[in-house]
Amino acid sequence: MKYTRTLLVYLAFSFIAAVLIILLVGTTPSDTRPISFLEKGGLACIFILCCIIGISFTLHPNWVRRYFSKFKDEEKNTLPQGKRSFQGHHPDCSTFQNHTVQWKERTWCAGCFGLLIGLCVSILLMILYAVTDFQFTKMMSYFLLLLGLFILPVVYVEILYRSRHAIVHVVINSLMPLSFFIITISVGGITGKFIYGFFTILLCFLWLDTRIQLSKWHHRSLCTHCFESCKMFTDPA
């Protein structure tokens, strides 16, 4: 119940964040000047830096914890003997078999692999956006904003109702960083202000964290209803 309440709080705040973005662009005067080339560049640099940090977490999910921890691998040291090993930070059991993919002789978490692809593509698109003088029309920016916001619940729903094919999970998760890119440039384009684009990037962290909480909740649900006795993900009493 504790994790369910936490998840509901995350979902509520994510919905409020989306409403705030819509209200922000909806109250922007139609004659607002386009965002300047310098502000575009600053927004792009921050977004790309955030993407690079995200990529580091897809490659090494617990690197911050390991860096500051006295233990080299806290997870392994806290697991009792007899527990299952992990592949792509998922238990190597049949329940989580479709949560991983094989690529270049390495087992990847399908969700992280999808995010990695989306982050790399988003960096390339943001560089292209920053170095060109192309400006979207207001109508096109509104359409892109709605598209970006629509992708978020699609990703969330797919996590809860997983396809049996890991590749589908990879594709859907790759769309999430792209939605962040679309939403960020749309808000910057409509409002014409760097600060609003930066505020949107901060909200992207909330939406991403909500996706992580959904994944954790789903893992616990699968583990709880699994017939195996290992119970790698369980709710504390």
Side-chain angles (χ1 to χ4, degrees):
M1 289 296 296
K2 171 186 174 183
Y3 289 104
T4 300
R5 288 195 297 269
T6 300
L7 177 60
L8 291 175
V9 170
Y10 268 93
L11 288 172
F13 276 106
S14 292
F15 176 76
I16 293 172
V19 172
L20 284 176
I21 289 294
I22 293 174
L23 291 176
L24 177 65
V25 300
T27 55
T28 300
S30 58
D31 58 348
T32 302
R33 65 170 178 82
I35 188 169
S36 69
F37 186 80
L38 184 60
E39 288 178 313
K40 280 176 60 178
L43 196 61
C45 288
I46 295 174
F47 184 87
I48 291 171
L49 177 60
C50 292
C51 286
I52 292 173
I53 295 174
I55 288 173
S56 73
F57 279 106
T58 62
L59 296 174
H60 304 285
N62 297 316
W63 69 265
V64 172
R65 182 191 305 171
R66 290 171 182 169
Y67 182 80
F68 289 104
S69 175
K70 295 180 180 179
F71 304 100
K72 290 184 178 179
D73 194 334
E74 180 181 335
E75 190 173 54
K76 288 183 179 178
N77 288 338
T78 56
L79 288 176
Q81 290 186 354
K83 290 289 187 178
R84 288 186 178 274
S85 60
F86 279 71
Q87 291 184 337
H89 60 265
H90 287 88
D92 60 343
C93 67
S94 57
T95 301
F96 291 92
Q97 204 167 37
N98 67 333
H99 287 239
T100 58
V101 292
Q102 298 290 329
W103 187 63
K104 287 191 175 181
E105 300 182 353
R106 176 177 173 178
T107 301
W108 293 76
C109 164
C112 287
F113 191 58
L115 290 173
L116 173 63
I117 295 172
L119 287 166
C120 291
V121 174
S122 295
I123 289 176
L124 295 176
L125 291 175
M126 185 57 85
I127 292 174
L128 183 64
Y129 167 77
V131 300
T132 59
D133 198 28
F134 178 78
Q135 297 283 352
F136 290 106
T137 64
K138 287 293 178 70
M139 186 61 67
M140 179 59 71
S141 294
Y142 281 116
F143 172 78
L144 289 175
L145 175 62
L146 293 177
L147 176 62
L149 292 175
F150 174 75
I151 291 174
L152 296 177
V154 171
V155 174
Y156 295 162
V157 170
E158 192 276 335
I159 291 174
L160 295 178
Y161 301 98
R162 285 286 305 273
S163 166
R164 292 183 179 274
H165 302 287
I167 193 64
V168 174
H169 193 54
V170 171
V171 173
I172 296 296
N173 275 268
S174 69
L175 297 177
M176 191 167 207
L178 296 176
S179 74
F180 296 161
F181 164 74
I182 292 172
I183 295 171
T184 300
I185 66 170
S186 298
V187 172
I190 294 171
T191 63
K193 295 185 180 296
F194 165 85
I195 189 64
Y196 291 148
F198 176 71
F199 174 68
T200 303
I201 292 176
L202 295 181
L203 292 182
C204 289
F205 281 99
L206 170 62
W207 292 322
L208 178 60
D209 204 14
T210 301
R211 177 241 174 265
I212 294 172
Q213 296 302 320
L214 273 168
S215 183
K216 288 181 177 179
W217 183 89
H218 185 56
H219 289 165
R220 291 188 180 94
S221 178
L222 290 176
C223 197
T224 300
H225 296 91
C226 178
F227 62 88
E228 298 281 357
S229 60
C230 51
K231 303 304 177 188
M232 303 301 289
F233 302 105
T234 54
D235 283 346

